Amino acid sequence: MNQITVTLPDGSSRSVPAGTPVRAIAEGISPNLARAALAAIVDGRLVDLTHPLQRDASVRIVTDKSPEALPLYRHSTAHLLAAAVTNLFPGTQCGIGPATDEGFFYDFIVERPFVPEDLEAIEKKMKELAQQDLVYERQMWPRDEAKAFFAKRGEPLKVQLIDEKTEGQKEVSCYTIKDKETFIDFCVGPHVPSTGKLKAFKLLNTSNAYWKGDARNAPMQRVYGTAFFSDKDLKAHLTQIEEAKKRDHRKLGRELGLFTFHQWAPGAAFWRDKGTTLYNTLANYMRDVLLPNGYVEVKTPIIYNKALWETSGHWSHYRQNMFQVQGSEGEEMALKAMNCPGHYLLYASDVHSYRELPIRFHEQTPLHRNELAGVLSGLTRVRQFSQDDGHCFVMPEQIGEEVERLLKLVQRVYDDLGMTYQPKLGTRPPEFLGEIDAWNRAEAQLKEALDRAGMAYQLNEGDGAFYGPKIDFDVTDAIGRKWQCATIQLDYAMPERFDLKYIGADNTEHRVVVIHRAIFGSFERFIAILIEHYAGAFPLWLAPVQAVVLPISDRHLAYGASVRDRLTAAGLRVELDERQEKIGFKIREAQLQKVPYMLVVGDREAADGTVSVRERVVGDLGGKTVDQFVADAKLRIDEKDTTSIKVEPIEQGGPESAVARR
Ligand SMILES: [Zn+2]
Ligand SMILES: [Zn+2]
């Protein structure tokens, strides 16, 4: 029999007969590896352990430590779900069951919608099937035979999938669990070798769905679940889901009076006064960060003739995502979905010398994207938003220095907000624009800048945009979720399209490089992240209301008003609670509104010219003169003190209050 050579990740190789399954390679390395094996990567392609090796190949065994493992594991669990559903509810039609970032789902056509008891029964059945350690078997069927088989079983959706996904193939892969009576599905694979590998999973909820997401198609039931390699990880994730529900920015946004929506303006927030204050505080903070660092703030038009979008390429590739409008002369126009093209026109409106570079534009005007109504969600997916957007126009040799400046700004902003972050460097993808040499020089400059900034980064080879390499940042919130926010992207393509140049020291024209950059990303989405990160209890410098003055009774109203006015004049954001309510009630309300300071005023305070200070987390701090309180609060604001937000927010009443008992 003909021998082939298998190369392992450590560079060693071994000779095996052609047709050897990859499982045998794992067994040949060690029994432990064979036990831990879930799948394999053969010449860069993820395959089942039963995959026969037909020619020389590089082989890496996938275990639960491999980055590829979790999606494979979750997708395999989706099949287990489908097996349980079809066993418990004969006649159910299966759709698709992919892994997601959070777990997996499977879509079904069922006679009646699932109820919570159904999910319990399905999960129980899944556990049974897992305990039986049933084999996932890949079978190659003649394409016509497979189509006839699924058609006869009353599964037209599978027939449609085979038609779409395997055009021109003679054979298609079907997977059974145990045997085709127990479960069979058309799937490209791969999967874990047997159901016994699936240890920690949980079904979460159901929702209505449509085949292919199109409401004209058959209605389906989508069952969501999640799966992890250990019970511990699963439990941690379920706790995170519970915690995330409590922090949901849509719920807190309503309770804290920050924003609302109306059906007549889908995906566009109505910012109430407190939300507007929060928004403006962040917008001005970003100006305070950027303007002293060489940026100029600009405002460019919202609506452009389609000629601009044709030049940028958006008209052919992105038109359906933009709101199109007609000018009075019938000209075709569109609302801007990003600021970049406007900034190019602004840059190109002057002749620039190398001495002026870098030129840095910052803009916060509104952008519009015509998102599908079905994907709109709170502030995280909207149609109208603004960015802390910016474009730096630099000479190629300035890239490294400019990126290092940018990294320092990113560092400063996330430190101020008390968030941790992880940079990811995306390098040249297989299809790219421009010269390889320019890419190599740019990537080297980005790496050096990251090193000089002392940032450990994740290298994502080939993950750059086609127009240039990039650095993206994931920030981690208080409950461990990751959000991609800041981005730094080099662009060689647009300066060509828009003929952006500068006059060099040699008195001739040269091409600039554009750096697209944002630190928050969209204000709307970033505010959603902050609301959930802080659970609505903003640090003092961000809180829409920083202190509330609480008169004990009506006769203290006048003194309370004078305190409010003095604090407001000192630049603090202060409210006066004038309601005829008991002081304990007012304190409780202020706690629920997550106001950092409650200032109680009664006879003693009015006589002494003081306030009784109560901090939301710490509790009573005793009496202070108004001036002393202003000085203390301003110090915390200047320092952007985030200490109190690290303490679990108090939901009811708060620490026992001496003031409240008065
Ligand atoms: Zn599958
Ligand atoms: Zn841009």
Side-chain angles (χ1 to χ4, degrees):
M1 183 178 272
N2 126 25
Q3 291 287 116
I4 57 164
T5 304
V6 168
T7 312
L8 299 174
D10 65 1
S12 68
S13 61
R14 51 195 70 195
S15 177
V16 295
T20 299
V22 279
R23 182 197 304 277
I25 305 297
E27 284 162 353
I29 298 170
S30 85
N32 279 345
L33 184 64
R35 254 194 309 279
L38 296 173
I41 306 270
V42 173
D43 287 337
R45 195 164 68 89
L46 191 61
V47 297
D48 292 307
L49 289 175
T50 51
H51 176 82
L53 296 161
Q54 302 295 11
R55 58 190 75 81
D56 292 354
S58 71
V59 172
R60 173 159 66 82
I61 302 299
V62 170
T63 69
D64 63 8
K65 307 279 180 293
S66 315
E68 302 85 359
L70 194 56
L72 167 101
Y73 182 88
R74 286 174 166 170
H75 169 66
S76 303
T77 314
H79 278 297
L80 186 67
L81 162 64
V85 168
T86 49
N87 274 274
L88 291 172
F89 304 91
T92 301
Q93 266 199 67
C94 296
I96 53 163
T100 64
D101 287 349
E102 301 281 299
F104 59 86
F105 66 78
Y106 212 111
D107 288 344
F108 303 101
I109 296 182
V110 280
E111 274 176 23
R112 59 160 177 85
F114 290 126
V115 294
E117 292 73 42
D118 294 333
L119 285 198
E120 278 171 36
I122 295 166
E123 197 178 294
K124 192 162 157 252
K125 188 76 188 172
M126 288 169 72
K127 287 192 174 132
E128 262 173 55
L129 296 172
Q131 260 154 25
Q132 292 167 28
D133 196 15
L134 308 172
V135 171
Y136 284 76
E137 191 190 338
R138 183 187 178 90
Q139 303 178 353
M140 294 310 292
W141 289 39
R143 190 166 183 263
D144 290 341
E145 209 174 291
K147 281 171 66 179
F149 174 82
F150 284 108
K152 189 158 166 252
R153 268 165 58 110
E155 297 221 43
L157 302 183
K158 290 287 159 187
V159 178
Q160 196 184 331
L161 284 176
I162 294 173
D163 270 332
E164 288 168 9
K165 298 208 166 186
T166 66
E167 216 191 309
Q169 280 175 230
K170 283 209 171 66
E171 290 188 318
V172 301
S173 58
C174 293
Y175 279 82
T176 57
I177 294 180
K178 188 175 170 219
D179 48 41
K180 70 177 193 294
E181 282 66 43
T182 308
F183 184 68
I184 183 162
D185 203 347
F186 158 69
C187 185
V188 183
H191 305 103
V192 298
S194 64
T195 59
K197 296 282 181 198
L198 307 172
K199 304 242 185 266
F201 50 81
K202 174 99 191 133
L203 297 184
L204 299 172
N205 58 295
T206 61
S207 75
N208 295 321
Y210 293 98
W211 177 240
K212 309 226 150 166
D214 188 334
R216 287 168 301 187
N217 289 335
M220 304 185 84
Q221 281 273 293
R222 177 167 295 179
V223 180
Y224 286 97
T226 193
F228 287 87
F229 293 120
S230 74
D231 275 324
K232 188 167 149 272
D233 289 350
L234 175 63
K235 240 188 211 139
H237 181 76
L238 297 177
T239 309
Q240 192 187 62
I241 292 176
E242 280 312 303
E243 192 54 39
K245 270 188 207 155
K246 283 190 235 158
R247 291 166 181 255
D248 189 325
H249 75 276
R250 292 165 294 189
K251 172 174 163 283
L252 286 171
R254 196 167 51 242
E255 289 170 7
L256 302 177
L258 299 176
F259 57 84
T260 187
F261 285 91
H262 192 280
Q263 74 217 37
W264 289 349
F270 290 72
W271 291 95
R272 296 180 189 278
D273 55 342
K274 285 179 190 165
T276 303
T277 301
L278 176 63
Y279 203 120
N280 289 344
T281 304
L282 285 164
N284 288 330
Y285 164 73
M286 192 48 77
R287 293 184 173 106
D288 290 346
V289 169
L290 295 180
L291 301 190
N293 275 288
Y295 286 77
V296 291
E297 184 167 359
V298 298
K299 284 181 187 291
T300 58
I302 307 278
I303 301 175
Y304 292 89
N305 191 288
K306 76 168 180 183
L308 174 89
W309 305 113
E310 282 168 347
T311 308
S312 68
H314 288 103
W315 199 254
S316 53
H317 290 109
Y318 198 74
R319 190 175 8 167
Q320 68 285 359
N321 298 83
M322 298 199 291
F323 285 97
Q324 291 165 53
V325 291
Q326 210 174 48
S328 60
E329 311 298 313
E331 64 272 39
E332 286 184 86
M333 307 188 83
L335 270 68
K336 68 177 170 186
M338 64 286 297
N339 291 306
C340 336
H343 288 187
Y344 306 149
L345 297 188
L346 189 60
Y347 177 87
S349 66
D350 281 320
V351 175
H352 297 286
S353 142
Y354 70 98
R355 292 170 198 276
E356 295 170 60
L357 301 183
I359 286 174
R360 307 177 183 93
F361 292 153
H362 172 59
E363 176 152 8
Q364 298 187 358
T365 56
L367 304 172
H368 291 82
R369 291 185 189 169
N370 199 358
E371 300 273 6
L372 294 175
V375 303
L376 299 175
S377 167
L379 295 176
T380 48
R381 283 293 282 274
V382 286
R383 285 179 171 174
Q384 184 193 314
F385 59 100
S386 296
Q387 292 181 332
D388 64 323
D389 203 3
H391 294 94
C392 307
F393 298 83
V394 302
M395 295 185 268
E397 56 270 32
Q398 291 176 319
I399 290 171
E401 199 184 320
E402 188 61 22
V403 169
E404 192 184 350
R405 286 172 77 96
L406 268 166
L407 294 174
K408 286 185 180 145
L409 296 182
V410 171
Q411 219 158 15
R412 171 174 158 196
V413 168
Y414 289 114
D415 285 352
D416 281 347
L417 294 163
M419 300 177 104
T420 55
Y421 52 87
Q422 161 81 48
K424 301 177 294 186
L425 172 61
T427 57
R428 193 181 65 239
E431 282 182 35
F432 62 95
L433 277 174
E435 315 261 312
I436 282 209
D437 280 351
W439 274 84
N440 289 343
R441 277 196 302 274
E443 286 174 8
Q445 287 192 71
L446 293 186
K447 285 181 188 168
E448 280 167 30
L450 283 159
D451 289 339
R452 279 199 303 273
M455 284 189 183
Y457 60 90
Q458 185 184 318
L459 181 63
N460 293 346
E461 300 271 13
D463 199 38
F466 71 92
Y467 49 79
K470 62 173 182 176
I471 303 172
D472 287 331
F473 291 79
D474 277 340
V475 304
T476 305
D477 71 11
I479 58 172
R481 293 174 301 175
K482 287 192 190 329
W483 306 84
Q484 191 179 309
C485 294
T487 185
I488 299 173
Q489 301 191 8
L490 265 52
D491 191 337
Y492 294 99
M494 289 299 151
E496 289 291 336
R497 280 177 176 251
F498 283 84
D499 192 23
L500 305 180
K501 54 207 178 194
Y502 64 94
I503 310 293
D506 59 0
N507 232 347
T508 67
E509 289 181 345
H510 300 268
R511 198 55 83 214
V512 291
V513 177
V514 166
I515 303 177
H516 306 255
R517 37 74 50 210
I519 301 180
F520 292 157
S522 125
F523 278 99
E524 278 73 3
R525 179 168 169 275
F526 197 72
I527 288 172
I529 294 168
L530 286 182
I531 292 171
E532 300 194 2
H533 174 60
Y534 297 128
F538 296 103
L540 187 62
W541 72 278
L542 276 178
V545 178
Q546 294 168 317
V548 58
V549 181
L550 307 176
I552 290 180
S553 75
D554 273 1
R555 68 175 186 280
H556 309 118
L557 269 178
Y559 177 65
S562 77
V563 169
R564 176 199 56 198
D565 294 346
R566 283 176 66 190
L567 297 179
T568 305
L572 296 175
R573 299 188 287 268
V574 185
E575 281 184 353
L576 173 68
D577 189 342
E578 296 175 291
R579 293 174 300 172
Q580 287 181 320
E581 299 284 357
K582 291 225 159 45
I583 188 69
F585 176 83
K586 289 183 182 178
I587 288 177
R588 215 156 34 243
E589 289 265 289
Q591 288 279 163
L592 288 174
Q593 285 295 305
K594 303 178 197 268
V595 179
Y597 284 113
M598 285 142 268
L599 307 175
V600 178
V601 294
D603 290 335
R604 193 196 305 160
E605 289 78 12
D608 298 350
T610 59
V611 289
S612 272
V613 182
R614 188 184 153 81
E615 210 267 353
R616 193 185 59 80
V617 175
V618 181
D620 288 337
L621 297 177
K624 284 185 188 181
T625 65
V626 173
D627 288 343
Q628 187 59 51
F629 172 74
V630 168
D632 292 352
K634 288 205 139 179
L635 190 65
R636 282 188 69 199
I637 290 168
D638 288 346
E639 289 175 344
K640 303 213 163 41
D641 184 358
T642 52
T643 46
S644 72
I645 62 105
K646 284 176 189 139
V647 183
E648 194 56 28
I650 299 139
E651 293 304 331
Q652 294 296 330
E656 185 65 13
S657 168
V659 178
R661 284 197 305 271
R662 261 161 58 180

